[in-house]
Amino acid sequence: MEADLRAVMRHFATGVAVATTYSDRADGRHHDAVTVNSLTSVSLDPPLVSLCLRLDSAFLADLLATKKWAVSILPDAARDLARRLAVDRARRAGTVGTLPATAGARTGALVLDSASWIECVLWDSFDLGDHTLVVGEVVAVDDRAHGPALVFLHGRYHTLDDPAQ
Ligand SMILES: Cc1cc2nc3c(=O)[nH]c(=O)nc-3n(C[C@H](O)[C@H](O)[C@H](O)COP(=O)(O)O)c2cc1C
């Protein structure tokens, strides 16, 4: 069934985003960032969005500890960044350290300089099968100019630059 479900869901096109959070340790604040395509708008009043993260994700552990995160919606120009952040923590650390990003004023989580972004605080979380669904209350947004959208479909990245029909 798992293989069948994967095969079917490959036909569902999604956007691509970078989720960010951090952990505060004795030697200072450690930021982290991962590529996600499970971003969903849940509610407008109150404003809620969700992410679905693997139960054993190192990123998820930090997010649940800080209860704060941000998501930046990637344009096609950030395709390479999406690839470099879709790996384990040790391999993405160098990329995280040089992100063109600033700390969000409401959460401290990094928001990308050239993307539309959302800052969240934890509203609720639910362990569901092998993933955790985290629901965040939106505390800040910025809708910035961006180029053609980055789309994930059939296990690959695509550009969506058709004018709206
Ligand atoms: C296009 C794309 C979308 C992804 N979306 C998710 C996601 O929604 N949730 C998730 O847990 N991992 C997702 N991943 C995998 C993460 O980018 C990353 O590899 C993983 O979370 C690392 O786990 P860690 O936090 O334990 O290091 C995605 C990968 C790609 C290429």
Side-chain angles (χ1 to χ4, degrees):
M1 179 58 84
E2 182 182 332
D4 293 342
L5 179 57
R6 276 180 190 270
V8 169
M9 291 307 294
R10 281 166 54 86
H11 302 300
F12 186 65
T14 67
V16 184
V18 164
T20 52
T21 192
Y22 53 85
S23 65
D24 287 325
R25 304 183 208 150
D27 61 345
R29 180 161 289 186
H30 292 250
H31 288 281
D32 196 9
V34 290
T35 302
V36 291
N37 67 344
S38 57
L39 173 66
T40 300
S41 178
V42 173
S43 164
L44 290 177
D45 183 18
L48 303 174
V49 298
S50 70
L51 286 180
C52 215
L53 297 163
R54 257 189 21 256
L55 269 183
D56 60 352
S57 157
F59 179 90
L60 172 66
D62 284 355
L63 184 157
L64 292 175
T66 62
K67 300 181 168 51
K68 293 173 186 161
W69 74 95
V71 282
S72 298
I73 299 170
L74 297 185
D76 182 56
R79 186 185 293 218
D80 183 54
L81 183 65
R83 288 205 173 91
R84 286 188 283 123
L85 292 174
V87 294
D88 62 53
R89 175 172 276 179
R91 288 193 293 150
R92 63 183 181 252
T95 302
V96 173
T98 59
L99 275 182
T102 50
R106 293 294 303 277
T107 62
L110 295 175
V111 294
L112 294 184
D113 295 334
S114 306
S116 294
W117 51 255
I118 302 167
E119 283 186 274
C120 301
V121 297
L122 185 66
W123 176 275
D124 212 338
S125 68
F126 308 88
D127 289 350
L128 301 168
D130 56 9
H131 279 61
T132 297
L133 180 74
V134 295
V135 179
E137 181 180 16
V138 176
V139 292
V141 296
D142 195 358
D143 181 10
R144 299 191 180 175
H146 48 77
L150 181 59
V151 172
F152 195 68
L153 174 67
H154 299 143
R156 299 180 57 188
Y157 296 104
H158 302 260
T159 307
L160 190 64
D161 58 3
D162 288 346
Q165 303 283 316

